[in-house]
Amino acid sequence: MTGLIDCNNFFVSCERVFAPRLRNVPVVVLSNNDGCIVALSNEAKALGLRRGNPFFKVKSLCEANNVAVLSGNHRLYGDISSRVMNTIASLVDDIAVYSIDEAFISIDTDNYAEAEKMGRELVRRIRRNVGIPTSLGLSSTKTLAKIASHFAKKYPAYRCVCAIDNEMRRRRALELTPVGDVWGIGRRLVKRLAPYGISTAAHLADMPQSDLEKILDLTGMRTWRELNGISCVDIETCDSLPKQTVCSRSFASDIYELSRLEDAFAIFATIITRKMRRHGLAAVSVSVFLHTNSHREDLPQYSNTASVSLPEATADTSAVAAAAQEALRRIFRKGFGYKRAGIIIPELVDERYVQPSLFENPVDRERRGRLMKVLDTINSASPTHDCVHIASYMPLETCVRCEKRSPEYSTRLDDIIKVNTTYGL
């Protein structure tokens, strides 16, 4: 039996663990540079606020309704996510982390009553150990479990655990689920399905296979089978390696100097290669992009991209940073204020199967690989995760705006909660 555990309003819930004053009040969390809303509480949703709203457009609404506004604190969220996943792993043998706030689990029983009892204990344990409210969906397939988790979150009567355990419940759940909310069905597919009268998950599941094969690709057909109770997405598939990755930021103020942009790209290279090494991946090439501030129509506008092929696929921070800065110098133009920039790794390969270059010294390659491992080991034990870095690196906070960020309660010793023990003295 398959389950999906989903943390409720995860970023907001992380903030509420350490700040009880935020409970039962509207809360929004902003993106990097405090640009737009990326997470919000149910109370904020009730005010009409939505994910993706540019903050400057809803600032007056937030002020009028005493909405608590916070900058994203991703180090805190990452640490809390690790604690949630570790709690799950302590109770369940088979777990696949799908995202920072979701994980698929496999429960070794066909008895839904036993699975539901275990699921309730899992939800209770996560809340007790970490303080994060979660919802659990149970069913015979990953896609149905994901739909069940939505019902567990939306309807209080389920008490955080919903099981789609028979045909009647499956039909009812599919009839109440818009096709755009089905896992694996994106916006483009919704538009493609609309002319065929497919607006709910039930409509999709009822379509003849021969007709759908003309409309959907292999992934879409897997979704169709899963909706009909045929499990065809392995738990390993949910945790498959990415094919490309991006690291970008909007700057707190426009940047005009090449040197400051080079420093920013050193940050991007550090973040992106750390992620690659964690997954055992290497970059074949490096692409960069620059954008001026499109909201400033009074200023000259410019945007461009450039790519550099690497002589050998690598996850070496210095090599990726050097390639990114080389590409940056190709497209940098004086006189423009740059608001957004980033690095794209358009093709990732498994580092175990990298084809060595004839012109690279294998001894140097091995030495650099050991250096990166040592760097990651040291930084993983550091509260800031960046105590050892390349020389051109500068703190991320120097180029982005995070004016409303909460303390890093669980990852930075200086921010640990202090308890006054002098009561009555």
Side-chain angles (χ1 to χ4, degrees), residues 351-381:
E351 65 177 359
R352 295 173 297 176
Y353 309 119
V354 170
Q355 179 66 44
S357 169
L358 292 174
F359 306 103
E360 291 291 327
N361 187 333
V363 176
D364 290 342
R365 186 187 314 121
E366 183 180 352
R367 185 183 298 118
R368 295 294 302 180
R370 291 201 305 269
L371 175 62
M372 291 298 108
K373 287 182 180 179
V374 171
L375 184 147
D376 290 338
T377 300
I378 295 173
N379 285 336
S380 65

Side-chain angles (χ1 to χ4, degrees), residues 177-180 193 197-201 203-204:
T177 303
V179 70
L193 294 169
I198 300 175
S199 60
T200 68
H203 293 153
L204 178 61

Side-chain angles (χ1 to χ4, degrees), residues 9 27 59 68 74 90 145 168 203 282 300 329 337 360 364 372 376 403 408-409:
N9 303 324
V27 182
K59 184 176 180 179
H74 297 285
S90 70
M168 182 183 72
H203 293 153
R329 288 189 285 271
E360 291 291 327
D364 290 342
M372 291 298 108
D376 290 338
E403 297 174 347
E408 295 173 23
Y409 300 102

